[in-house]
Structures are given as structure tokens and as C-alpha cells.
Amino acid sequence: MSFADRLTRMPLAFDPELGRGAAEAVPGRSGPVSDLLAGSAGSSPYLSRLIAGEAAWLGEILPGAPEPAMAALTRAAAQTTGPETAATLRALKRRAALLIALADLGGIWDLETVTGALTDFAEAATQAALGAALGVAARRGRIPGMDEDIDPQAAGIVVLAMGKMGAGELNYSSDIDLICLFDETRFAPDDEVTARAGFIRVTRDMAATLSAVTDQGYVFRTDLRLRPDAGTTPVCMSMAAAERYYEAEGRNWERAVYIKARPVAGDLAAGRRFLQRLRPFIWRRHLDFAAIHDTAMMRDRIRAHRGLYDSTLEGHNLKLGQGGIREIEFFAQTRQLIAGGRDPALRQRATVDALRALAAAGWMAPDEAETLQGDYRALREVEHRLQMIGDAQTHSLPRNGDGFDRLARLSGHSDTLAYRGWISGHLQSVHELTKPFFTPKTRAEPEPDLSDAARDIVSRWPSYPALRSERGQAIFDRLRPELLSRLIGSARPDEALANFDGFLRGLPAGVQLFSLFEANPTLIDLIVDISATTPGLSRYLSRHSSVLDAVLAGEFFAPWRGAAELGAELTAALAGLDYEAALDAARRWQKEWHFRVGVHLLRGLIAAPEAAAQYSDLAEAVVATLWPLAQAEVARRHGPAPGKGGAVVAMGSLGSRDMAAASDLDLLVIYEAARIEASDGPRPLHPRAWYAKATKALVAAISAPTAQGVIYAVDMRLRPSGRQGPVATGLGAFRDYQRHEAWTWEHLALTRARAIAGPAELGRQIEAVRLNVLAERRDRAAVLVDTAAMRQRLSQAGRQGDGIAVKPGPGGMQDIALLAQAGALLAGSHARDATGQIAAAQATGLIDAAAADALSRAAALFGAISQGSQLLGDRPLAPEAMGAGGRDFLARLAGASDWEALLSQSASARAEAQAIIAHALPDLEEP
């Protein structure tokens, strides 16, 4: 479709006579196209000159569509070479500027198409200018090893487009922000200095080709000042030097700049590799709310320097002033910096795309994002009209009535007053939506009165590591009144303050975390809740405060996803990382999800049985994800896994899906590699040795301490032959051992076994072995005697349980589990959980229905107490140590009215269970 067919709006002529004269110079113009030319020229002296100078060319292209004409200009720019490059690019730019303006003013192209066309042309011009400069350098021997036929993409220099060019958002009279780097690894050490000098000259020549103003105009104003430490560094520097700078001195504004960075000319592959290496600098691993303060300070410094605090419309700066374009960009970029390290979907270069992604991820309301997108498009279009008037790099509205009339007419508005109101409305909308984000939270309320003991605690805080920096102290001082008020106002103020003190004392640094609290007051509620209830969780948070990031993620309060989905998420999170980085990432990921289960349990969002299942799902996901990584690590040296593969079997609480916060993992590994002599690799291994290495690698992957701590403790003593047996067992050997050599206690453990990782077919074969072993006919008396003997040994070796120490001792969790497993073994039951195994014990006549009901109730009560007590601390706590808040929490979790009622219920359940088990199992003489 032609220009005329696609016009949706029309500029009006501020100077009708000037407009008519320019339009009449274009051959073949008629109707709406003539009006478009007259309106454009009549309100823009710059466009009037371009129309007059390019009248013949316009006559050729206006009957057609603008897209083919623009594509031809861009293609011609990219293909320009030789000594006439500068002149040719200027001629092409004049036509491109005219074509884009007409398509914009006539409403043929929307904002994204206009800025995209400008950016595409700028990219093509930059490629041509660089190619011309490299050609000169090659002919003069300035770059070691380069000849005249060198392809710019193989020369070792790359041009990164920053800012609006990087994002594809160039405005009508924009300068282009470029950073030029060279890949020093392409050159011998002795040649690097020569190469650098050559590339500096190439960069200067390229910039002059683009930005020097001649009698033919210019192509693009070029700004090279975004490079590292621009005041002291050359215009082109090595990638290694740039990386060292960003690692040691990079600031938040430079991180924001690199959100939009994109290689556009030269060695594009090297540029992409450089940006990949820079990702940890740009995208921080943890939520970075401290960036809000830095961005607000930078915005205020810009305004103070340029006197931009005035909000009147005359002379108002649409880019940097109140409610301007930069506020929308800062708003989006700062949120991207906060959360983009955790969510790659937020790493959008374009502002509108970033706003859309932020809304989709829940970081802003969808209606706010939609409003800001509309404001952004509107203000950018006004900015374009300002720049079209005189081809000036301006962002300031006119200072007089005539100027506003001209701007309104170019924009197609005959009512200047209404147009001014429209602009003011968008500026006010931006200001109202973004101001709360950048305005520091103030805490005007006074601090509460404190007891002497509380004052002693608070007086120690300035000496803690998290509060030693001036910045950390300043942010915390704003938070302190509210924190103290909530802590003192909690049900157990002394305990809450003491536990918060333990949390604060253990923090290695504070700026990021305190910024997180300041920007998200709901986290203060959570930390007070934890401090008032769980000293163990408070200490955990001081060591792993980054898990609080997860609270702000959309998944934190979403429905539980199950082991399979969790495993898929973890696998995706580890993709592309090297082995050590993957282990650290797995630890961070597990800690966040582990914390989520604990918080849900603490706040009553889930009950103890749900927590047990969720802790078990999480552990299963971790093992299922790390097992392939551990095998791949062995395969690097010894070839792929021999045979049909290896499976990880969960025993104990993971097998029965009854894990708690501090549970370890009971695992064994079973492989199938019959008739395989060795792995196929550079250093072949027998299957037993191969899987032994893989098993040890898995155990290390889960339990070895790294900078991120450990995931779980791992116990493999339930494998065949215990500590004396191999760490990995062949399927045939496992089958034979279970049928002919295993002790009764090993068959009891087998009742809870479950394959959780490895080939599905091997898992089914292992389950078949389990079921066949459980189905075997047994000597009932012998099983019960062996179970009683096992019970006796545990009683003699372990602690005698009482109160909330519900696992050990007669009638405790361990005792009930032994009887239940014996019942499952005698019944040949498939059940792994306590309830199912107790029912099997009843079915086989070991206990009656009343006893089964009593044991099931005791198991549920003890399970709730165990879940809660492990959340309170990673080691057994005396009632006085857990505090009244912890005691109340345990009582609530177990369904008791108060602490005394809980103790009474626990004692009664233990006594009843002890009597039932003693009756069901034979008496044994004391050894």
C-alpha cells in the first residue's frame, strides 16, 4: 500500500506559504500526500529543506510503500565502502531522515517502527564507517596481521551500541552511544600495544566519519564516553582491561547502561562473548534494592546540575525533567537491576518490553505498566516533533507561544491549549506513578520506650558487621523505629528482640538486605514473626539472608509444584553452568525452597503432613537433578555410564516421604551393567568402580561444603553390608543379597525404599526386587524377635525420649516405626508411610484396631512435634531455650490448646504406644 493509502493523521502547517512551496516542488504529489508534505514543511524548517533537496527522489518513492524504500537506504549504507563512505552515508542519512519523518508524521509507522528504522540505519552506517576505517588501517599496516581484505567481523575489534541504539530505540535526532573494545587474545603479547594504538586510530576515524559536520551535514553524533573511566582511558581498550574495571569499580549506573548493550559492528561473536562474561556484573544473583537509592541519587544529581526541578511546561525537559522519559526508563531499568539476576525474562533491552515483562512477573501492576507504556510512546513522539523542527538534539519544550503553536501544528493539533494539556497529563501521570518508587521511605515515628535489657541489646548493634558501613547504618536508621516497635509489640518482646539480635549479629553485610526491607515492608512482618517464634530460623537467615529474595518472587505463595516440576526448574536453572557453579546454584535454589516450606509451616499455611511431603519433594528434586551431573563429571574422564545406568534409591524418611527441616538423606545406588567389562572412555573403569565414583561424586555434590554451604547430610549405611559394602551395588548382587544374606533389620528398612533418580526401567526393576522380597514367606516369630532385639539395641544406644524429644525411647517415633515396618514385612505390604504400615500390622494380626488407631494418632502427633521442633532449631532445644513463642508454635502445630496440654498429650501417647509395642513384641532378656 502507498503512503496515501496508509495515512492516519496529518501535520498542519504553521507557515502555510512555506508548506505549499515545498510541496509544489515534489513531482507527482497530489491529495493527501500533498497535504502531508505541506504540513511537514510548513511546521519544520528542517523538513522543508530536506523536501526541497530531495524532491525528485520523493517523487519516485511516494507512490509506493515506505518499507522497501527504507530497506534500500539501509542496505546501501551497509554496503558503502571506500574513500567516499562519509559523503555517501550523509546523503543516505538525509533521505532516511526525511522518509522516517513523513512515515511518522502521517501515522503510517508507530513509535517502535520509527525508532527501529532509525536504529537499523545507524547500525548499517556504523558498520560501514568501521569497515572504512579498518581498510585505511590495514593499508597503512597499523594492525598486526591485518591485510586490506580483512573482514571487519574477523578484525578483533567490536563496537557495542549502548543506550537507545542498543535497545533499538533511537530518537529522531539522537546521538549514538558506542563502546569500542578489542579482543587482546587475538594478538601475541608483543603485538598488543601496537594493536591497541591501531584500534584507537580506527575508532577515532570511525567516529569522525559518522559525526563530523561538513557542508553535507553529518550522519550521527557519536558519543564514546560510556566506556570505562572515560576521563583517563583511550577510546578503544582491551576487553580484559574493561572486565577488570567493571569487576573492581563498576557502578550501578554502568550496570544499567549494559542492560541495553548490543554488539553492532566488527567482531560480533567476540562482543557477545564479552557481554556473556559481564553478566555477573550486570545481573546480580540476589535482589538488589540498593539500586533504587543509587538511581534516585543519580537522577537528582542530573536535575541539580541542569536546573531541571521546575515543573512548568515552558522549556520543560521531556527527557530529564519531572515526569519525563528518563523517569520511565529509570523506573524500568532499576526494577530490572533489582530482579533481573533471578529472572532472565526481565532482561529486555527496550523500555516498553521491559515494562511488559515486569508486569508479567508481578513487579508492577498491569494497569500501571500499560499506562506508563502509553505515556512513554506519547512523550517520545513529542520529543521527535521537537527534534524534527530544526534537526536539533533537544528535549526541551518551547519557551513561547509561537514555539508551542508550531509544535502543536506539526503534531497535527489545531488547538494548542488542548495540546499543552495533553502533554501535561502525560508528564503528571509519569510523575505520580514513578515518584513513590524513588522517594526514600521516611520513618517519622519515634522509637518505642525500651527496657534496660532491650537498651543493652540495641546499644551493641553499631558494632555489628552489617552496620559498620555508613550507608548500611543510614538505611537501618530509617528502619529501626518500625522494627523496634514491631518487635516490642510482639507477644514475646524480649524473645523477639533477642532472636532478632542474633539474626543481626550474624549478618556479614547489611546494605542490600536493609534496602530489601525498606522497599518491601512485608518482609519486616516476616522477620518479626520469625524472631518472635523460631531462634533457629533467625540464625539460619543470618547465614542465608538471600533466601528472603524468594519471598518477593511470585512463586513463594503459589500452590506447591511437586517433585517433578521442581526438578525441571532446578535442571533449567543449572543449564549452561560449569560443575562448581552448578553446585553453588543448586545450594542457593534448595535453600530458597527449603525456607519457603518452613515459612508456610510457621505461618499456618500448611500442616505438618504437608510440610513432610514438601520437604521430601524438594530433596527428591535435588537428588534427581544432581545425579546426572555427578555422572557427567565421571564420564568426562572415564566415558559414559556403562550398561543400563544407575538409580538412586531413597531409604528412611525420604523413602517414606516424611522428611522434616533437619532431616538427612539415607541413600543407596544400584546399577545394571551385566556383562559389561569396562566403560568406554579415555580411562576405562569397571562398572563397579565407575558407579562407585559416580556415587561419591553425588554424595559430595549434595553434602560437601562450598561457599553456599551444604544441601543435605547423606547417610549410606543402609546399603548392602553397611559400611563394609561397596557404595554402589549391581542389581543382581542387590537382588541376591536381599534374598539370601540381608538381616531382618535390612528388610525392615527395605519397606520404605523408593527409587527417586535414574532410568525409569531400572527403577521399576528395583521396585520389583523390593516387592518380591517383601512377598516372601517369613518365620513370624523370628521377625518379631529380631525386631524386638533391634528395638532393644536402639534403646540402649540412644537417648530416652520425653516431652518434645519424640523420636527416641520406648513409645517414641522410632519405636512406632519399627513395629509398623515389622507389620508391613509380615504382611508383604507395599506401603511405605507409617499410616499404611500400621494398617498392615493390624491386617496381619500383630495389633488390633484400637491399637492401630492409637499408634496412628501417636505417629501423627509426634510427626507434628518433630516438624515444628526441627524448624525451631537444627539441634534439640530445651523448652526454656525455644522460648514461649516457640512453645506456642509447637502447641498450635500439634493441635494442643497450650504447652502444658501438648506435654500431657505427648506423654499419654508415648505411654500408650509403649504398652502396645511391648505387648506386640516378645520380651527379651537383658544382655
PDB file of all heavy atoms in Angstrom, residues 705-736:
ATOM      1  N   PRO A 705      30.797 -29.044  51.674  1.00  0.00           N
ATOM      2  CA  PRO A 705      30.609 -27.606  51.892  1.00  0.00           C
ATOM      3  C   PRO A 705      31.243 -26.793  50.767  1.00  0.00           C
ATOM      4  O   PRO A 705      32.364 -27.047  50.356  1.00  0.00           O
ATOM      5  CB  PRO A 705      31.328 -27.364  53.229  1.00  0.00           C
ATOM      6  CG  PRO A 705      32.321 -28.477  53.345  1.00  0.00           C
ATOM      7  CD  PRO A 705      31.718 -29.655  52.649  1.00  0.00           C
ATOM      8  N   THR A 706      30.485 -25.841  50.248  1.00  0.00           N
ATOM      9  CA  THR A 706      31.019 -24.871  49.292  1.00  0.00           C
ATOM     10  C   THR A 706      30.767 -23.488  49.881  1.00  0.00           C
ATOM     11  O   THR A 706      30.349 -23.360  51.026  1.00  0.00           O
ATOM     12  CB  THR A 706      30.320 -24.984  47.926  1.00  0.00           C
ATOM     13  OG1 THR A 706      28.999 -24.434  48.030  1.00  0.00           O
ATOM     14  CG2 THR A 706      30.222 -26.437  47.458  1.00  0.00           C
ATOM     15  N   ALA A 707      31.016 -22.466  49.082  1.00  0.00           N
ATOM     16  CA  ALA A 707      30.761 -21.107  49.573  1.00  0.00           C
ATOM     17  C   ALA A 707      29.295 -20.918  49.951  1.00  0.00           C
ATOM     18  O   ALA A 707      28.959 -20.059  50.762  1.00  0.00           O
ATOM     19  CB  ALA A 707      31.152 -20.098  48.498  1.00  0.00           C
ATOM     20  N   GLN A 708      28.410 -21.746  49.373  1.00  0.00           N
ATOM     21  CA  GLN A 708      26.985 -21.654  49.658  1.00  0.00           C
ATOM     22  C   GLN A 708      26.532 -22.674  50.694  1.00  0.00           C
ATOM     23  O   GLN A 708      25.339 -22.868  50.898  1.00  0.00           O
ATOM     24  CB  GLN A 708      26.188 -21.845  48.358  1.00  0.00           C
ATOM     25  CG  GLN A 708      26.514 -20.845  47.276  1.00  0.00           C
ATOM     26  CD  GLN A 708      26.177 -19.433  47.678  1.00  0.00           C
ATOM     27  OE1 GLN A 708      25.196 -19.192  48.367  1.00  0.00           O
ATOM     28  NE2 GLN A 708      26.999 -18.478  47.261  1.00  0.00           N
ATOM     29  N   GLY A 709      27.486 -23.339  51.353  1.00  0.00           N
ATOM     30  CA  GLY A 709      27.130 -24.301  52.394  1.00  0.00           C
ATOM     31  C   GLY A 709      26.912 -25.697  51.832  1.00  0.00           C
ATOM     32  O   GLY A 709      27.453 -26.073  50.799  1.00  0.00           O
ATOM     33  N   VAL A 710      26.130 -26.504  52.549  1.00  0.00           N
ATOM     34  CA  VAL A 710      25.786 -27.856  52.112  1.00  0.00           C
ATOM     35  C   VAL A 710      24.292 -27.887  51.817  1.00  0.00           C
ATOM     36  O   VAL A 710      23.546 -26.990  52.196  1.00  0.00           O
ATOM     37  CB  VAL A 710      26.138 -28.917  53.182  1.00  0.00           C
ATOM     38  CG1 VAL A 710      27.612 -28.881  53.510  1.00  0.00           C
ATOM     39  CG2 VAL A 710      25.301 -28.708  54.436  1.00  0.00           C
ATOM     40  N   ILE A 711      23.871 -28.947  51.127  1.00  0.00           N
ATOM     41  CA  ILE A 711      22.435 -29.108  50.868  1.00  0.00           C
ATOM     42  C   ILE A 711      21.829 -30.028  51.929  1.00  0.00           C
ATOM     43  O   ILE A 711      20.937 -29.636  52.662  1.00  0.00           O
ATOM     44  CB  ILE A 711      22.180 -29.654  49.448  1.00  0.00           C
ATOM     45  CG1 ILE A 711      22.859 -28.762  48.404  1.00  0.00           C
ATOM     46  CG2 ILE A 711      20.687 -29.704  49.178  1.00  0.00           C
ATOM     47  CD1 ILE A 711      22.640 -29.200  46.970  1.00  0.00           C
ATOM     48  N   TYR A 712      22.322 -31.253  51.982  1.00  0.00           N
ATOM     49  CA  TYR A 712      21.876 -32.211  52.991  1.00  0.00           C
ATOM     50  C   TYR A 712      23.081 -33.019  53.459  1.00  0.00           C
ATOM     51  O   TYR A 712      24.049 -33.203  52.703  1.00  0.00           O
ATOM     52  CB  TYR A 712      20.855 -33.208  52.416  1.00  0.00           C
ATOM     53  CG  TYR A 712      19.581 -32.608  51.893  1.00  0.00           C
ATOM     54  CD1 TYR A 712      19.397 -32.405  50.522  1.00  0.00           C
ATOM     55  CD2 TYR A 712      18.551 -32.270  52.748  1.00  0.00           C
ATOM     56  CE1 TYR A 712      18.220 -31.871  50.033  1.00  0.00           C
ATOM     57  CE2 TYR A 712      17.363 -31.729  52.270  1.00  0.00           C
ATOM     58  CZ  TYR A 712      17.207 -31.530  50.906  1.00  0.00           C
ATOM     59  OH  TYR A 712      16.047 -30.988  50.417  1.00  0.00           O
ATOM     60  N   ALA A 713      22.993 -33.542  54.691  1.00  0.00           N
ATOM     61  CA  ALA A 713      23.907 -34.607  55.099  1.00  0.00           C
ATOM     62  C   ALA A 713      23.410 -35.901  54.462  1.00  0.00           C
ATOM     63  O   ALA A 713      22.201 -36.113  54.328  1.00  0.00           O
ATOM     64  CB  ALA A 713      23.935 -34.730  56.616  1.00  0.00           C
ATOM     65  N   VAL A 714      24.345 -36.766  54.062  1.00  0.00           N
ATOM     66  CA  VAL A 714      23.983 -38.015  53.381  1.00  0.00           C
ATOM     67  C   VAL A 714      24.496 -39.193  54.192  1.00  0.00           C
ATOM     68  O   VAL A 714      25.650 -39.211  54.633  1.00  0.00           O
ATOM     69  CB  VAL A 714      24.553 -38.061  51.947  1.00  0.00           C
ATOM     70  CG1 VAL A 714      24.227 -39.389  51.277  1.00  0.00           C
ATOM     71  CG2 VAL A 714      24.007 -36.903  51.120  1.00  0.00           C
ATOM     72  N   ASP A 715      23.648 -40.188  54.368  1.00  0.00           N
ATOM     73  CA  ASP A 715      23.986 -41.415  55.096  1.00  0.00           C
ATOM     74  C   ASP A 715      23.769 -42.592  54.153  1.00  0.00           C
ATOM     75  O   ASP A 715      22.672 -42.762  53.620  1.00  0.00           O
ATOM     76  CB  ASP A 715      23.091 -41.541  56.334  1.00  0.00           C
ATOM     77  CG  ASP A 715      23.550 -42.653  57.270  1.00  0.00           C
ATOM     78  OD1 ASP A 715      24.248 -43.577  56.809  1.00  0.00           O
ATOM     79  OD2 ASP A 715      23.174 -42.612  58.461  1.00  0.00           O
ATOM     80  N   MET A 716      24.803 -43.392  53.936  1.00  0.00           N
ATOM     81  CA  MET A 716      24.693 -44.553  53.047  1.00  0.00           C
ATOM     82  C   MET A 716      24.875 -45.863  53.795  1.00  0.00           C
ATOM     83  O   MET A 716      25.187 -46.895  53.194  1.00  0.00           O
ATOM     84  CB  MET A 716      25.706 -44.431  51.902  1.00  0.00           C
ATOM     85  CG  MET A 716      25.523 -43.182  51.059  1.00  0.00           C
ATOM     86  SD  MET A 716      26.315 -43.304  49.450  1.00  0.00           S
ATOM     87  CE  MET A 716      25.228 -44.473  48.637  1.00  0.00           C
ATOM     88  N   ARG A 717      24.656 -45.859  55.092  1.00  0.00           N
ATOM     89  CA  ARG A 717      24.886 -47.069  55.883  1.00  0.00           C
ATOM     90  C   ARG A 717      23.809 -48.131  55.679  1.00  0.00           C
ATOM     91  O   ARG A 717      23.963 -49.263  56.143  1.00  0.00           O
ATOM     92  CB  ARG A 717      24.987 -46.707  57.370  1.00  0.00           C
ATOM     93  CG  ARG A 717      26.264 -45.958  57.728  1.00  0.00           C
ATOM     94  CD  ARG A 717      26.259 -45.522  59.173  1.00  0.00           C
ATOM     95  NE  ARG A 717      25.196 -44.545  59.430  1.00  0.00           N
ATOM     96  CZ  ARG A 717      24.932 -44.042  60.637  1.00  0.00           C
ATOM     97  NH1 ARG A 717      25.622 -44.446  61.687  1.00  0.00           N
ATOM     98  NH2 ARG A 717      23.964 -43.153  60.800  1.00  0.00           N
ATOM     99  N   LEU A 718      22.723 -47.795  55.007  1.00  0.00           N
ATOM    100  CA  LEU A 718      21.684 -48.787  54.749  1.00  0.00           C
ATOM    101  C   LEU A 718      21.932 -49.585  53.475  1.00  0.00           C
ATOM    102  O   LEU A 718      21.115 -50.414  53.093  1.00  0.00           O
ATOM    103  CB  LEU A 718      20.314 -48.097  54.661  1.00  0.00           C
ATOM    104  CG  LEU A 718      19.790 -47.511  55.972  1.00  0.00           C
ATOM    105  CD1 LEU A 718      18.433 -46.856  55.762  1.00  0.00           C
ATOM    106  CD2 LEU A 718      19.691 -48.580  57.051  1.00  0.00           C
ATOM    107  N   ARG A 719      23.079 -49.355  52.835  1.00  0.00           N
ATOM    108  CA  ARG A 719      23.408 -50.149  51.653  1.00  0.00           C
ATOM    109  C   ARG A 719      23.762 -51.582  52.075  1.00  0.00           C
ATOM    110  O   ARG A 719      24.066 -51.845  53.244  1.00  0.00           O
ATOM    111  CB  ARG A 719      24.576 -49.518  50.912  1.00  0.00           C
ATOM    112  CG  ARG A 719      25.909 -49.551  51.646  1.00  0.00           C
ATOM    113  CD  ARG A 719      26.958 -48.801  50.841  1.00  0.00           C
ATOM    114  NE  ARG A 719      28.306 -48.895  51.397  1.00  0.00           N
ATOM    115  CZ  ARG A 719      28.823 -48.023  52.258  1.00  0.00           C
ATOM    116  NH1 ARG A 719      28.086 -47.003  52.692  1.00  0.00           N
ATOM    117  NH2 ARG A 719      30.063 -48.168  52.693  1.00  0.00           N
ATOM    118  N   PRO A 720      23.709 -52.535  51.131  1.00  0.00           N
ATOM    119  CA  PRO A 720      24.061 -53.921  51.458  1.00  0.00           C
ATOM    120  C   PRO A 720      25.423 -54.011  52.133  1.00  0.00           C
ATOM    121  O   PRO A 720      26.400 -53.405  51.681  1.00  0.00           O
ATOM    122  CB  PRO A 720      24.061 -54.607  50.090  1.00  0.00           C
ATOM    123  CG  PRO A 720      23.073 -53.834  49.293  1.00  0.00           C
ATOM    124  CD  PRO A 720      23.237 -52.405  49.741  1.00  0.00           C
ATOM    125  N   SER A 721      25.483 -54.747  53.242  1.00  0.00           N
ATOM    126  CA  SER A 721      26.692 -54.938  54.050  1.00  0.00           C
ATOM    127  C   SER A 721      27.130 -53.677  54.776  1.00  0.00           C
ATOM    128  O   SER A 721      28.234 -53.633  55.325  1.00  0.00           O
ATOM    129  CB  SER A 721      27.849 -55.495  53.205  1.00  0.00           C
ATOM    130  OG  SER A 721      27.487 -56.732  52.628  1.00  0.00           O
ATOM    131  N   GLY A 722      26.291 -52.633  54.779  1.00  0.00           N
ATOM    132  CA  GLY A 722      26.582 -51.434  55.550  1.00  0.00           C
ATOM    133  C   GLY A 722      27.882 -50.776  55.166  1.00  0.00           C
ATOM    134  O   GLY A 722      28.227 -50.685  53.988  1.00  0.00           O
ATOM    135  N   ARG A 723      28.653 -50.329  56.184  1.00  0.00           N
ATOM    136  CA  ARG A 723      29.903 -49.613  55.904  1.00  0.00           C
ATOM    137  C   ARG A 723      30.913 -50.483  55.180  1.00  0.00           C
ATOM    138  O   ARG A 723      31.803 -49.980  54.499  1.00  0.00           O
ATOM    139  CB  ARG A 723      30.521 -49.119  57.222  1.00  0.00           C
ATOM    140  CG  ARG A 723      29.786 -47.950  57.860  1.00  0.00           C
ATOM    141  CD  ARG A 723      30.641 -47.347  58.964  1.00  0.00           C
ATOM    142  NE  ARG A 723      29.995 -46.201  59.589  1.00  0.00           N
ATOM    143  CZ  ARG A 723      29.285 -46.250  60.686  1.00  0.00           C
ATOM    144  NH1 ARG A 723      29.104 -47.431  61.302  1.00  0.00           N
ATOM    145  NH2 ARG A 723      28.737 -45.169  61.202  1.00  0.00           N
ATOM    146  N   GLN A 724      30.825 -51.800  55.334  1.00  0.00           N
ATOM    147  CA  GLN A 724      31.789 -52.685  54.692  1.00  0.00           C
ATOM    148  C   GLN A 724      31.458 -52.946  53.220  1.00  0.00           C
ATOM    149  O   GLN A 724      32.300 -53.436  52.472  1.00  0.00           O
ATOM    150  CB  GLN A 724      31.862 -54.044  55.431  1.00  0.00           C
ATOM    151  CG  GLN A 724      32.636 -54.008  56.738  1.00  0.00           C
ATOM    152  CD  GLN A 724      31.899 -53.233  57.810  1.00  0.00           C
ATOM    153  OE1 GLN A 724      30.701 -53.424  57.996  1.00  0.00           O
ATOM    154  NE2 GLN A 724      32.597 -52.343  58.502  1.00  0.00           N
ATOM    155  N   GLY A 725      30.235 -52.658  52.802  1.00  0.00           N
ATOM    156  CA  GLY A 725      29.841 -52.946  51.429  1.00  0.00           C
ATOM    157  C   GLY A 725      30.241 -51.849  50.471  1.00  0.00           C
ATOM    158  O   GLY A 725      30.569 -50.726  50.871  1.00  0.00           O
ATOM    159  N   PRO A 726      30.231 -52.146  49.162  1.00  0.00           N
ATOM    160  CA  PRO A 726      30.546 -51.118  48.155  1.00  0.00           C
ATOM    161  C   PRO A 726      29.489 -50.022  48.170  1.00  0.00           C
ATOM    162  O   PRO A 726      28.316 -50.277  48.501  1.00  0.00           O
ATOM    163  CB  PRO A 726      30.531 -51.894  46.834  1.00  0.00           C
ATOM    164  CG  PRO A 726      29.668 -53.086  47.096  1.00  0.00           C
ATOM    165  CD  PRO A 726      29.889 -53.443  48.529  1.00  0.00           C
ATOM    166  N   VAL A 727      29.897 -48.804  47.813  1.00  0.00           N
ATOM    167  CA  VAL A 727      28.952 -47.684  47.871  1.00  0.00           C
ATOM    168  C   VAL A 727      27.904 -47.774  46.768  1.00  0.00           C
ATOM    169  O   VAL A 727      26.847 -47.147  46.862  1.00  0.00           O
ATOM    170  CB  VAL A 727      29.690 -46.328  47.797  1.00  0.00           C
ATOM    171  CG1 VAL A 727      30.521 -46.103  49.045  1.00  0.00           C
ATOM    172  CG2 VAL A 727      30.516 -46.212  46.537  1.00  0.00           C
ATOM    173  N   ALA A 728      28.175 -48.540  45.717  1.00  0.00           N
ATOM    174  CA  ALA A 728      27.195 -48.773  44.657  1.00  0.00           C
ATOM    175  C   ALA A 728      27.109 -50.277  44.424  1.00  0.00           C
ATOM    176  O   ALA A 728      28.130 -50.971  44.427  1.00  0.00           O
ATOM    177  CB  ALA A 728      27.595 -48.058  43.369  1.00  0.00           C
ATOM    178  N   THR A 729      25.905 -50.795  44.223  1.00  0.00           N
ATOM    179  CA  THR A 729      25.681 -52.236  44.134  1.00  0.00           C
ATOM    180  C   THR A 729      25.011 -52.577  42.821  1.00  0.00           C
ATOM    181  O   THR A 729      24.058 -51.891  42.402  1.00  0.00           O
ATOM    182  CB  THR A 729      24.778 -52.698  45.303  1.00  0.00           C
ATOM    183  OG1 THR A 729      25.325 -52.244  46.529  1.00  0.00           O
ATOM    184  CG2 THR A 729      24.647 -54.210  45.319  1.00  0.00           C
ATOM    185  N   GLY A 730      25.480 -53.639  42.165  1.00  0.00           N
ATOM    186  CA  GLY A 730      24.831 -54.109  40.956  1.00  0.00           C
ATOM    187  C   GLY A 730      23.450 -54.655  41.263  1.00  0.00           C
ATOM    188  O   GLY A 730      23.191 -55.178  42.357  1.00  0.00           O
ATOM    189  N   LEU A 731      22.545 -54.575  40.285  1.00  0.00           N
ATOM    190  CA  LEU A 731      21.175 -55.018  40.515  1.00  0.00           C
ATOM    191  C   LEU A 731      21.129 -56.489  40.903  1.00  0.00           C
ATOM    192  O   LEU A 731      20.414 -56.868  41.842  1.00  0.00           O
ATOM    193  CB  LEU A 731      20.335 -54.765  39.255  1.00  0.00           C
ATOM    194  CG  LEU A 731      18.873 -55.216  39.333  1.00  0.00           C
ATOM    195  CD1 LEU A 731      18.124 -54.456  40.419  1.00  0.00           C
ATOM    196  CD2 LEU A 731      18.193 -55.030  37.975  1.00  0.00           C
ATOM    197  N   GLY A 732      21.876 -57.320  40.199  1.00  0.00           N
ATOM    198  CA  GLY A 732      21.882 -58.745  40.519  1.00  0.00           C
ATOM    199  C   GLY A 732      22.411 -59.013  41.921  1.00  0.00           C
ATOM    200  O   GLY A 732      21.845 -59.811  42.671  1.00  0.00           O
ATOM    201  N   ALA A 733      23.489 -58.326  42.290  1.00  0.00           N
ATOM    202  CA  ALA A 733      24.055 -58.513  43.620  1.00  0.00           C
ATOM    203  C   ALA A 733      23.080 -58.023  44.683  1.00  0.00           C
ATOM    204  O   ALA A 733      22.942 -58.629  45.756  1.00  0.00           O
ATOM    205  CB  ALA A 733      25.376 -57.765  43.730  1.00  0.00           C
ATOM    206  N   PHE A 734      22.383 -56.912  44.398  1.00  0.00           N
ATOM    207  CA  PHE A 734      21.395 -56.401  45.344  1.00  0.00           C
ATOM    208  C   PHE A 734      20.268 -57.414  45.542  1.00  0.00           C
ATOM    209  O   PHE A 734      19.834 -57.688  46.673  1.00  0.00           O
ATOM    210  CB  PHE A 734      20.836 -55.073  44.825  1.00  0.00           C
ATOM    211  CG  PHE A 734      19.728 -54.487  45.661  1.00  0.00           C
ATOM    212  CD1 PHE A 734      19.996 -53.912  46.886  1.00  0.00           C
ATOM    213  CD2 PHE A 734      18.409 -54.523  45.208  1.00  0.00           C
ATOM    214  CE1 PHE A 734      18.972 -53.380  47.659  1.00  0.00           C
ATOM    215  CE2 PHE A 734      17.389 -53.995  45.978  1.00  0.00           C
ATOM    216  CZ  PHE A 734      17.670 -53.411  47.200  1.00  0.00           C
ATOM    217  N   ARG A 735      19.810 -57.999  44.417  1.00  0.00           N
ATOM    218  CA  ARG A 735      18.736 -58.990  44.497  1.00  0.00           C
ATOM    219  C   ARG A 735      19.176 -60.195  45.323  1.00  0.00           C
ATOM    220  O   ARG A 735      18.460 -60.645  46.228  1.00  0.00           O
ATOM    221  CB  ARG A 735      18.327 -59.428  43.085  1.00  0.00           C
ATOM    222  CG  ARG A 735      17.185 -60.425  43.060  1.00  0.00           C
ATOM    223  CD  ARG A 735      16.969 -60.981  41.660  1.00  0.00           C
ATOM    224  NE  ARG A 735      16.613 -59.929  40.709  1.00  0.00           N
ATOM    225  CZ  ARG A 735      17.382 -59.530  39.699  1.00  0.00           C
ATOM    226  NH1 ARG A 735      18.603 -60.068  39.538  1.00  0.00           N
ATOM    227  NH2 ARG A 735      16.975 -58.602  38.873  1.00  0.00           N
ATOM    228  N   ASP A 736      20.375 -60.697  45.030  1.00  0.00           N
ATOM    229  CA  ASP A 736      20.872 -61.879  45.754  1.00  0.00           C
ATOM    230  C   ASP A 736      21.076 -61.571  47.233  1.00  0.00           C
ATOM    231  O   ASP A 736      20.764 -62.392  48.100  1.00  0.00           O
ATOM    232  CB  ASP A 736      22.187 -62.346  45.130  1.00  0.00           C
ATOM    233  CG  ASP A 736      21.991 -62.923  43.732  1.00  0.00           C
ATOM    234  OD1 ASP A 736      20.829 -63.245  43.383  1.00  0.00           O
ATOM    235  OD2 ASP A 736      22.986 -63.013  42.993  1.00  0.00           O
TER     236      ASP A 736
END
